[in-house]
Amino acid sequence: MKIIQTTSLTLDQKQSAFELWNSEYPEKIGYPELSEFENYLDGLSNEEHYLVVDDQNQILGWAFAFFREEEIGSELSSIQKYREKDLVYFCWMN
């Protein structure tokens, strides 16, 4: 596994992040459509994305930091089955 840091996501990476987001937050703040999730991401500024990928470049976890209303915000999403098996721990401090 490795961590990739980027300031923007490709369409495939957005799709994976969208799926991770909805698996983490399906009822309260999930997005029914990828376009709605993209609108959310477009509303952020100065974001940094961190992708945990396996040897086949499959995204196992995704986290990001961003500025919102002059405050630093952060989110953490990971595939539930990996988190339960303690395979993906990913965090940072601002």
Side-chain angles (χ1 to χ4, degrees), residues 1-4 10 12-13 16 51-61:
M1 282 190 268
K2 63 183 175 180
I3 297 172
I4 298 171
T10 67
D12 288 340
Q13 291 169 335
S16 293
L51 305 169
V52 179
V53 297
D54 64 14
D55 294 336
Q56 289 77 39
N57 282 330
Q58 297 291 324
I59 296 174
L60 305 178

Side-chain angles (χ1 to χ4, degrees), residues 1 52 81-89:
M1 282 190 268
V52 179
K81 66 180 179 180
Y82 290 100
R83 190 173 55 199
E84 288 173 359
K85 293 181 181 180
D86 298 331
L87 294 176
V88 176
Y89 281 104

Side-chain angles (χ1 to χ4, degrees), residues 6-53:
T6 183
T7 56
S8 63
L9 299 174
T10 67
L11 183 56
D12 288 340
Q13 291 169 335
K14 283 182 187 178
Q15 180 66 42
S16 293
F18 168 71
E19 292 168 7
L20 287 168
W21 182 279
N22 281 340
S23 71
E24 188 73 21
Y25 307 112
E27 294 180 20
K28 294 184 179 186
I29 57 174
Y31 292 95
E33 302 291 330
L34 177 60
S35 60
E36 294 176 36
F37 180 68
E38 289 177 308
N39 288 338
Y40 168 72
L41 293 178
D42 290 343
L44 305 176
S45 57
N46 298 322
E47 72 264 22
E48 291 184 27
H49 301 271
Y50 302 86
L51 305 169
V52 179
V53 297

